[in-house]
Amino acid sequence: MSYRILLGATAVALALCVVANPRKEFNAAYRAYGEAVAESNFGEAATHAGEALRLGREVLSPDSPEIAILAFNHGFALAKAGRVSEAYRALLEARGLVEKALGQDAVEIVQVEVELAHTSSPGEARRHFDNALALASLHHGEESEFVADLKVEGATQILTDGTAELLAGAARTYDRLARTDKLALARYWLGQRHLDDDRYREAIEPMSAVVAANPGDRELVLMARTKLVEVFERLGERDRATEHCLAIGSARGFTRHESYKPLYVPDPVYPEELGPDAGIGSVTVEFTVDAEGYVRHPLVVGSRGGGAFSSAALALAEGIRFAPQFVDDQPLAVPGVRHTIVFSPD
């Protein structure tokens, strides 16, 4: 399931604004572009969009909004086809054409700047995104749902720095507008951002809010609980993780051994006594998962690389957490669970 939040106005909708032209070649190229986009065949779409732009320049006024839209379509299709550097150049041209035809503060520039941000280097992406955000705020209002959606897209799809502030701002807007579905997503991504930045304490509140709100998206709640297991394990507060291990296990019921995966595995630490020349080691450990998801009685049942890896694997195994198995609404201990741990000197 995808949790990407899209802008309210899409490039395809923008493309439909082009007026029909009697020239058959232009009409055919433009129609082929639309069909290719509808089928998500963006390689062909880019070719047809480029041809429609070339022909459009022959039959339409050079300063018309239609030419600007055709140029945007071309850059959009190139980006979707993975031809990023070409897309960026085409979108820069499109932005200039939109500004010339509709004005420097035209709302249509928001979408162009967003696509430029998607196709540019990190430093340039920030500049393009900030331009889009400023224009969106001007036209829709700083506290609008449109701007909140844009903040989430920027934080989850475009930017790597300064995203927590964007997500927190979006969450406040969704809360005020009572958009509970989007609020849950914004809180989840905010918690994930804190987790990615090793700010474990700060991740607790937004992830807990997702769980407490109990949105209709059951999978999102389970994902938030899984993240909370990781947070509390990393903080050494294992008892606080247990509530979430039990809740996940109860929701999932019984899982066959071969698909029984841990919720959290500590990062493997390469044995200090071994130099990098020792290479990669792997150890398979067998253990019992108790009724609270803790690992009990780990034993090495297979290894490659030597005894130092086996000792490290046994120590690590005790820090693994599972969602316990549930049968008839009761958590049960599960013996004979196996997990392979790989140690790399990198």
Side-chain angles (χ1 to χ4, degrees):
M1 181 177 294
S2 172
Y3 292 100
R4 182 171 185 260
I5 296 178
L6 296 173
L7 294 179
T10 67
V12 175
L14 184 64
L16 297 179
C17 297
V18 172
V19 296
N21 187 279
R23 299 289 185 89
K24 291 183 179 180
E25 288 183 274
F26 171 77
N27 285 340
Y30 183 73
R31 187 165 49 250
Y33 160 76
E35 291 171 354
V37 169
E39 296 173 359
S40 298
N41 188 341
F42 292 109
E44 284 193 14
T47 299
H48 295 309
E51 183 67 3
L53 176 59
R54 183 185 68 80
L55 293 167
R57 283 186 164 128
E58 295 179 4
V59 299
L60 297 169
S61 170
D63 295 335
S64 68
E66 290 77 22
I67 290 294
I69 293 168
L70 289 170
F72 175 82
N73 290 344
H74 186 216
F76 170 78
L78 286 168
K80 291 295 185 182
R83 294 159 63 180
V84 177
S85 59
E86 294 175 76
Y88 185 73
R89 291 193 297 271
L91 289 164
L92 281 177
E93 179 187 13
R95 186 184 63 185
L97 291 169
V98 172
E99 289 177 348
K100 189 173 183 179
L102 301 173
Q104 292 186 342
D105 292 333
V107 67
E108 289 82 1
I109 296 173
V110 173
Q111 190 69 43
V112 183
E113 290 284 8
V114 168
E115 294 303 326
L116 281 165
H118 275 293
T119 56
S120 59
S121 63
E124 287 297 298
R126 181 88 228 188
R127 180 172 64 84
H128 289 302
F129 177 78
D130 286 345
N131 290 343
L133 193 60
L135 273 175
S137 298
L138 175 66
H139 288 280
H140 296 277
E142 190 172 351
E143 298 300 320
S144 66
E145 183 176 350
F146 185 93
V147 169
D149 288 353
L150 179 56
K151 288 178 179 178
V152 172
E153 179 168 2
T156 60
Q157 305 282 326
I158 300 171
L159 306 176
T160 56
D161 298 321
T163 58
E165 182 179 348
L166 291 172
L167 290 165
R172 288 192 294 270
T173 298
Y174 293 142
D175 193 19
R176 181 177 56 81
L177 297 175
R179 289 304 310 267
T180 55
D181 53 342
K182 291 185 176 183
L183 174 59
L185 282 169
R187 284 171 167 168
Y188 177 85
W189 288 121
L190 178 57
Q192 182 64 61
R193 179 74 266 175
H194 289 320
L195 189 55
D196 290 342
D197 292 340
D198 298 336
R199 297 196 299 265
Y200 304 124
R201 290 284 175 201
E202 294 177 59
I204 294 173
E205 190 279 328
M207 287 297 183
S208 296
V210 174
V211 172
N214 194 25
D217 192 336
R218 172 179 174 271
E219 285 303 313
L220 183 63
V221 173
L222 292 177
M223 288 166 59
R225 287 191 181 277
T226 299
K227 298 300 182 181
L228 285 167
V229 171
E230 179 179 353
V231 166
F232 291 128
E233 287 289 335
R234 289 189 179 279
L235 289 172
E237 300 175 12
R238 309 197 75 193
D239 289 346
R240 296 184 67 183
T242 299
E243 168 196 348
H244 302 288
C245 292
L246 290 167
I248 295 167
S250 178
R252 290 180 177 171
F254 181 77
T255 305
R256 290 167 33 143
H257 269 32
E258 55 267 32
S259 57
Y260 192 25
K261 306 297 183 185
L263 298 175
Y264 169 74
V265 179
D267 299 327
V269 178
Y270 200 79
E272 291 183 0
E273 62 269 32
L274 298 178
D277 292 341
I280 294 175
S282 65
V283 181
T284 299
V285 182
E286 183 175 289
F287 43 78
T288 294
V289 175
D290 74 10
E292 291 187 333
Y294 288 100
V295 167
R296 305 298 185 192
H297 315 303
L299 296 170
V300 172
V301 294
S303 65
R304 180 172 66 87
F309 292 118
S310 295
S311 298
L314 288 172
L316 182 146
E318 294 184 351
I320 298 175
R321 285 303 291 270
F322 283 78
Q325 302 279 277
F326 272 70
V327 177
D328 296 330
D329 296 326
Q330 294 297 318
L332 302 174
V334 182
V337 178
R338 292 190 175 191
H339 183 77
T340 298
I341 302 162
V342 177
F343 297 89
S344 174
D346 298 333

